[in-house]
Amino acid sequence: MGDIGADVYNKLREQLVAGEFTAGQLLREESLAERFGVSRTPIREALRRLQVEGFIEIAPHRGARVLGWRAEDISEVFALRGVLEPHAARQAALRLSEEDLVVARKLADGMERFAADRPDGFEDQIASLNNQFHTLIVSGSENYRLSEQVQSIMELARVRATFQRYSAHELGRSMSHHRELLDALTARDPEWAESVMKCHIFAARSVYR
Amino acid sequence: MGDIGADVYNKLREQLVAGEFTAGQLLREESLAERFGVSRTPIREALRRLQVEGFIEIAPHRGARVLGWRAEDISEVFALRGVLEPHAARQAALRLSEEDLVVARKLADGMERFAADRPDGFEDQIASLNNQFHTLIVSGSENYRLSEQVQSIMELARVRATFQRYSAHELGRSMSHHRELLDALTARDPEWAESVMKCHIFAARSVYR
DNA sequence: AGAACTGATTTTGCATACAATATCACACCC
DNA sequence: GGGTGTGATATTGTATGCAAAATCAGTTCT
């Protein structure tokens, strides 16, 4: 995709992640084209990509439909994250650069500040930082060849992450997991990092039941 | 994608998996369009999809390039398979239907026959059956929402699987792993199935070093 | 009333035309 | 000789037109 196409894809994707469309909603090429002020061509490419990435489904001649999340889907998501992310953390312990760690620490700091001050809409702010934090670790785990594919799955799996339903206690534990994970990564200790990440995912899963 | 587009995608993908293009080769939209007797439009959609799935890379205004596999990539592939497929086998033990198991047994039988008779090109025949076998198990592990994404990664990871380099001993062991996995699945024993699959992947990795 | 057909309308799928960008060859300058 | 700039060429990116397919409304038949 070129300049316009990439823009359209990013914006559409953002809006999907932000939940601006309801599950099952039909996405018409023509109306999206109007909405973004472009022709159907870049819209089609963006939709195709979002389909492969698992955000929408496209039936031939019938259009694109926003996929929803059932309870079982959420459960699968955590099963998958519980396997993939600890593995990623293990690899990341040996591979992340010092600069990456600096960035990760800043992200964790940011989350803790939001968790302490609790300004309006702080849950979304934390969710955004949290995504960046996990993305950083996953992308530090594989090399360029598989990284994007794994990344894509993990992002899809993290789409529904919201901190609205976290209690103060759970939020605090999540923050402390981040801190401990950073310590493990800084110590370049793969098994420690893997264990912490496993706890982190299991704890997150418990919030969703 | 409609009828033509889906065809183009399938054929292109087959040819990529079959290794009909050399790594680094540029795939020009115009020549592919001629080759398949269609316009550039469905070609572009197929290329976009193959990009997301990790077969090729596309640089804006610069075209599509076939990605190759370096030694580290292969190593990553096995690391990922070593985590994902045992997990999949574990889930599959509880989820595969009896009909699925019948199919899986037939695939294993077929592989063993090829391994015993060793007709011309039997390695490719085994590879094809082996892909179906593993695909069946992975697809039986997740529900519809994440299944295709995981499937897509695992297929990409299995692209290079060739049995050319297996010794008779290694081939025999691989077949016996399949057999044991089927027993574990039939017994609906998740931990057994997971363990066998882990051995299976580790053993396969050893062939590639 | 409900099921099944038929034509109008909408929407997608593909082809084609044009615009924007990158690539390459060749001349030019230092 | 090597680097740099410039125009021609090739290739991709986007828009648009048309054909094919699905949807929907209205009608007819049972």
Side-chain angles (χ1 to χ4, degrees):
Chain A
M1 277 179 290
D3 312 51
I4 294 182
D7 276 7
V8 168
Y9 162 75
N10 284 325
K11 283 182 188 155
L12 245 179
R13 187 177 180 291
E14 259 178 50
Q15 298 183 1
L16 277 167
V17 171
E20 293 187 26
F21 303 100
T22 66
Q25 179 176 354
L26 277 174
L27 300 179
R28 294 296 181 194
E29 297 178 358
E30 193 75 42
S31 36
L32 290 176
E34 272 183 54
R35 178 170 179 162
F36 288 105
V38 298
S39 79
R40 280 173 50 216
T41 308
I43 299 286
R44 281 177 65 81
E45 298 203 341
L47 288 177
R48 270 14 208 249
R49 176 158 184 189
L50 292 166
Q51 174 191 28
V52 177
E53 294 180 341
F55 290 98
I56 63 179
E57 73 179 349
I58 301 182
H61 289 286
R62 229 166 283 185
R65 186 179 297 276
V66 179
L67 287 175
W69 293 92
R70 302 172 308 174
E72 308 144 68
D73 299 328
I74 306 275
S75 149
E76 304 271 356
V77 157
F78 281 109
L80 202 57
R81 289 189 64 188
V83 170
L84 273 178
E85 296 216 35
H87 169 72
R90 183 187 193 104
Q91 311 271 39
L94 301 176
R95 297 194 188 181
L96 282 179
S97 69
E98 291 297 331
E99 294 79 40
D100 288 333
L101 290 176
V102 171
V103 173
R105 276 185 213 107
K106 284 201 176 116
L107 291 169
D109 286 345
M111 283 188 266
E112 285 186 7
R113 245 193 317 277
F114 278 118
D117 302 351
R118 308 175 79 85
D120 209 48
F122 74 99
E123 295 101 335
D124 290 346
Q125 303 290 335
I126 292 184
S128 164
L129 293 175
N130 186 57
N131 277 346
Q132 294 175 52
F133 185 85
H134 283 262
T135 298
L136 182 68
I137 289 165
V138 172
S139 65
S141 71
E142 308 277 344
N143 67 23
Y144 87 109
R145 189 68 172 80
L146 286 168
S147 172
E148 293 199 25
Q149 278 67 43
V150 177
Q151 200 59 249
S152 165
I153 285 202
M154 295 319 302
E155 288 195 21
L156 180 64
R158 239 179 284 117
V159 162
R160 303 300 295 173
T162 167
F163 288 87
Q164 316 278 4
R165 57 173 77 200
Y166 275 64
S167 70
H169 169 64
E170 289 162 339
L171 193 56
R173 179 165 61 197
S174 184
M175 297 300 117
S176 117
H177 280 156
H178 289 158
R179 191 60 57 194
E180 183 176 356
L181 184 55
L182 282 170
D183 288 341
L185 294 172
T186 305
R188 303 293 180 186
D189 188 329
E191 307 219 336
W192 186 13
E194 182 178 5
S195 312
V196 177
M197 185 62 98
K198 213 169 220 169
C199 294
H200 188 53
I201 305 293
F202 284 158
R205 182 177 63 176
S206 81
V207 176
Y208 285 82
R209 318 213 253 210
Chain B
M1 275 179 289
D3 311 340
I4 294 183
D7 276 8
V8 168
Y9 162 76
N10 285 324
K11 284 181 188 157
L12 245 180
R13 186 176 180 291
E14 260 178 49
Q15 297 182 2
L16 277 166
V17 171
E20 294 188 26
F21 303 101
T22 65
Q25 179 176 353
L26 277 174
L27 300 179
R28 295 297 183 194
E29 296 178 357
E30 193 74 42
S31 35
L32 290 176
E34 274 183 51
R35 179 171 178 161
F36 288 104
V38 298
S39 81
R40 279 174 50 215
T41 309
I43 298 287
R44 281 178 66 80
E45 297 201 343
L47 288 176
R48 270 16 212 242
R49 176 157 182 190
L50 291 166
Q51 174 192 30
V52 178
E53 294 180 339
F55 291 97
I56 62 178
E57 72 179 350
I58 300 181
H61 288 285
R62 228 165 285 185
R65 185 177 299 275
V66 179
L67 287 175
W69 293 92
R70 302 173 307 173
E72 307 144 69
D73 299 328
I74 306 275
S75 148
E76 304 270 355
V77 158
F78 281 108
L80 202 57
R81 289 188 64 188
V83 170
L84 273 179
E85 297 216 34
H87 169 72
R90 184 189 193 104
Q91 310 271 38
L94 300 176
R95 297 194 189 181
L96 282 178
S97 68
E98 291 298 330
E99 295 77 42
D100 288 334
L101 289 176
V102 171
V103 173
R105 277 185 212 106
K106 284 203 176 114
L107 291 169
D109 287 344
M111 282 189 266
E112 287 186 6
R113 248 195 312 278
F114 278 119
D117 303 349
R118 309 175 79 85
D120 209 48
F122 74 98
E123 295 100 335
D124 290 346
Q125 303 291 336
I126 292 184
S128 164
L129 293 175
N130 186 58
N131 276 346
Q132 294 176 52
F133 185 85
H134 284 262
T135 297
L136 182 67
I137 289 165
V138 172
S139 66
S141 71
E142 308 278 345
N143 68 23
Y144 88 107
R145 191 68 172 78
L146 285 169
S147 173
E148 293 200 24
Q149 278 67 43
V150 176
Q151 200 59 251
S152 164
I153 283 202
M154 294 319 301
E155 288 196 19
L156 179 65
R158 241 179 283 117
V159 161
R160 303 300 296 171
T162 167
F163 288 87
Q164 316 277 2
R165 57 173 78 201
Y166 274 65
S167 70
H169 169 64
E170 288 163 340
L171 194 55
R173 180 166 60 199
S174 185
M175 296 301 118
S176 115
H177 280 156
H178 288 158
R179 190 61 54 193
E180 183 176 356
L181 184 55
L182 282 170
D183 288 342
L185 294 173
T186 305
R188 304 291 181 188
D189 187 329
E191 306 219 335
W192 187 12
E194 180 176 8
S195 312
V196 177
M197 185 62 98
K198 211 169 221 168
C199 294
H200 188 52
I201 305 293
F202 282 159
R205 182 176 64 177
S206 82
V207 176
Y208 286 82
R209 317 213 250 210

